[in-house]
């Protein structure tokens, strides 16, 4: 019997010489090149060695030419969606490869809305939901989330009112939610889908964080919601789960042939319906039994990080913490400590930590910061202790 690999997430691995954005862009965004980076949502935890081996094996062949979208890529996506998310993708042609989820967001906006139309979002939410909308000349229809019992909740009557506006044609849903870490439950998703269906609004369900969900929560894909069957586009990627966003390998699942055709046209216009050859190798390698075991160990490690980070932050007594059900991100409210730029300066210069500022997630994020907990515990916890000492 083959021995099970035990993954080491505790070792500190230097990212020097790799041009990792979260390190290389520190001077530009924080004015300090040695601040410890807990901002950009990629982890300082290693991808599985079996992925490195598969990439090496491919790179060892000296030709890197145009590469077919070969069956193993689609088979592995279908296997993963079925095993991990209880979603049965009935045929390969329902899957569209895409270089990145954000590329797909922009193409969906182009495919399903016209200039001047509006795109619905539940904010605060991942920044490109706003920037892709406005960059394409569309308006943002922003429905701020409520905070109920310390976690985000949808204000369904406000949402329904907004979605019923004649200019709203598309909704961008973050499922699970970044930055709040909500793993939306079936009732909530059914309600969103029902409102969108009745109002003829297409749902783009960004499920990039769906593999990182903490028990007892579990991910429900919009693909499994009946009311969304004819109007959903689901986006997923290997980027977050296997910490390989630089490979740029994502995909869409679109059950409805009409929507699929429109999205394909948008892709073809800018020749963005394919991914690079290493991305294909990576998808076919990661979405496997070995990948499922890596993911299981990763989620266990991250869950412990999240629990310890939230516990520490709560001892401050003044930082409000949203403990996530999903994602490796913790959303916290520093607004009791005064103006945002003062808090930002203290975090960077006194605590030596770089966090994502809340305004990246829209106006509803003002006063909040997001901490990336995808780091070895012996770097992460001392950084959080410094924050608590400073603001406690
Ligand atoms: C919700 C969400 N969607 C998309 C992305 C980026 O995906 P990609 O790199 O595939 O464009 C991120 C990255 O942080 C994210 O949090």
């Amino acid at each position: 019997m083959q021995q099970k690999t035990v993954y080491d997430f505790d070792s500190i691995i230097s990212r020097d010489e790799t041009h990792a954005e979260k390190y290389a862009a520190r001077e530009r965004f924080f004015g300090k090149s040695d601040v410890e980076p807990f901002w950009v949502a990629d982890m300082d935890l290693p991808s599985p060695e079996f992925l490195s081996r598969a990439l090496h094996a491919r790179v060892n062949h000296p030709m890197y030419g145009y590469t077919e979208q070969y069956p193993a890529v689609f088979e592995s996506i279908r296997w993963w969606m079925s095993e991990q998310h209880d979603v049965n993708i009935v045929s390969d042609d329902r899957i569209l490869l895409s270089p990145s989820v954000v590329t797909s967001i922009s193409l969906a906006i182009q495919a399903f809305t016209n200039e001047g139309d509006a795109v619905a979002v539940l904010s605060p939410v991942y920044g490109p939901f706003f920037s892709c909308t406005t960059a394409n000349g569309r308006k943002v229809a922003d429905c701020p989330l409520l905070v109920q019992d310390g976690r985000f909740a949808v204000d369904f009557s406000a949402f329904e009112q907004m979605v019923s506006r004649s200019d709203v044609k598309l909704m961008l849903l973050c499922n699970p939610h970044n930055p709040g870490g909500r793993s939306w439950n079936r009732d909530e998703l059914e309600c969103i889908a029902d409102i969108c269906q009745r109002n003829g609004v297409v749902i783009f369900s960004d499920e990039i964080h769906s593999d990182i969900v903490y028990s007892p929560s579990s991910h429900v894909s919009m693909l499994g919601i009946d009311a969304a069957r004819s109007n959903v586009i689901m986006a997923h990627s290997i980027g977050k789960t296997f910490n390989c966003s630089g490979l740029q390998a994502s995909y869409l699942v679109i059950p409805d042939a009409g929507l699929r055709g429109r999205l394909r046209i948008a892709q073809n216009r800018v020749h963005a319906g394919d991914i690079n050859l290493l991305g294909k190798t990576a998808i076919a390698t990661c979405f496997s039994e070995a990948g499922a075991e890596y993911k299981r160990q990763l989620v266990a490690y991250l869950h412990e990080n999240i629990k310890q980070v939230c516990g520490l932050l709560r001892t401050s007594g003044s930082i409000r913490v949203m403990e996530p059900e999903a994602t490796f991100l913790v959303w916290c409210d520093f607004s009791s400590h005064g103006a945002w730029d003062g808090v930002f300066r203290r975090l960077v210069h006194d605590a030596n930590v770089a966090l994502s500022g809340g305004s990246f997630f829209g106006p509803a994020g003002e006063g909040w910061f997001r901490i990336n907990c995808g780091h070895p515990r012996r770097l992460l916890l001392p950084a959080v202790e410094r924050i608590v000492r400073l603001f406690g």
Side-chain angles (χ1 to χ4, degrees), residues 371-384:
I371 306 178
N372 175 348
C373 296
H375 290 252
R377 229 163 266 154
R378 62 198 166 101
L379 275 183
L380 174 67
L381 298 181
V384 176

Side-chain angles (χ1 to χ4, degrees), residues 80-94:
W80 188 263
M81 288 302 292
S82 160
E83 283 287 310
Q84 298 287 325
H85 300 300
D86 203 22
V87 166
N88 181 26
I89 303 171
V90 296
S91 64
D92 289 354
D93 71 353
R94 297 186 174 200

Side-chain angles (χ1 to χ4, degrees), residues 40-42 99-103 105 126 128-129 174 176-178 206 208-209 237 239-240 245 248-250 329 370:
V40 179
D42 80 21
S100 85
V101 172
V102 175
T103 305
I105 290 173
Y126 181 57
F129 281 32
C174 197
H177 187 75
N178 170 16
D206 175 345
I208 195 168
H209 292 282
S237 156
K240 301 294 170 203
S245 292
Q248 297 213 298
S250 82
L329 310 162
R370 193 193 68 181

Side-chain angles (χ1 to χ4, degrees), residues 282-328:
I283 287 181
T285 304
C286 287
F287 287 161
S288 61
E289 296 279 3
E293 177 54 27
Y294 168 86
K295 187 213 92 158
R296 194 188 63 71
Q297 294 184 35
L298 173 72
V299 170
Y301 190 86
L302 292 172
H303 197 186
E304 188 56 34
N305 280 10
I306 293 286
K307 284 189 280 194
Q308 293 198 29
V309 165
C310 291
L312 277 172
L313 288 169
R314 284 198 193 97
T315 64
S316 75
S318 62
I319 302 169
R320 195 152 55 119
V321 187
M322 222 175 246
E323 183 153 346
E325 299 160 325
T327 80
F328 49 85

Side-chain angles (χ1 to χ4, degrees), residues 147-336:
V147 181
Q148 280 175 352
D149 301 326
R151 59 181 206 166
F152 281 133
V154 180
D155 180 343
F156 283 108
S157 67
F159 180 64
E160 171 134 35
Q161 214 173 17
M162 197 185 67
V163 166
S164 64
R165 271 171 36 187
S166 61
D167 59 344
V168 174
K169 303 285 169 41
L170 175 70
M171 180 210 181
L172 300 175
L173 174 70
C174 197
N175 175 34
H177 187 75
N178 170 16
R182 274 305 311 283
S183 172
W184 303 113
N185 63 41
R186 186 169 288 279
D187 287 349
E188 290 167 314
L189 294 173
E190 277 173 356
C191 224
I192 291 170
D194 176 59
I195 291 170
C196 287
Q197 191 199 37
R198 280 191 283 105
N199 289 284
V201 167
V202 174
I203 301 169
F204 184 100
S205 186
D206 175 345
E207 301 188 10
I208 195 168
H209 292 282
S210 60
D211 291 319
I212 300 172
V213 179
Y214 307 117
S215 173
S217 297
S218 61
H219 176 64
V220 180
S221 174
M222 216 16 138
L223 291 171
I225 302 294
D226 282 343
R229 196 139 309 207
S230 62
N231 64 336
V232 68
I233 290 146
M234 192 286 302
H236 187 231
S237 156
I238 50 173
K240 301 294 170 203
T241 319
F242 297 95
N243 202 26
C244 57
S245 292
L247 288 174
Q248 297 213 298
S250 82
Y251 63 96
L252 302 167
V253 179
I254 313 178
D256 182 79
L259 292 192
R260 210 159 56 231
R262 286 163 73 184
L263 204 285
R264 244 188 234 289
I265 289 170
Q267 283 191 324
N268 291 343
R269 277 204 186 110
V270 288
H271 204 69
D274 200 6
I275 59 177
N276 70 79
L277 84 164
L278 295 181
K280 287 170 185 149
T281 301
I283 287 181
T285 304
C286 287
F287 287 161
S288 61
E289 296 279 3
E293 177 54 27
Y294 168 86
K295 187 213 92 158
R296 194 188 63 71
Q297 294 184 35
L298 173 72
V299 170
Y301 190 86
L302 292 172
H303 197 186
E304 188 56 34
N305 280 10
I306 293 286
K307 284 189 280 194
Q308 293 198 29
V309 165
C310 291
L312 277 172
L313 288 169
R314 284 198 193 97
T315 64
S316 75
S318 62
I319 302 169
R320 195 152 55 119
V321 187
M322 222 175 246
E323 183 153 346
E325 299 160 325
T327 80
F328 49 85
L329 310 162
V330 170
W331 183 235
C332 27
D333 177 10
F334 286 75
S335 57
S336 68

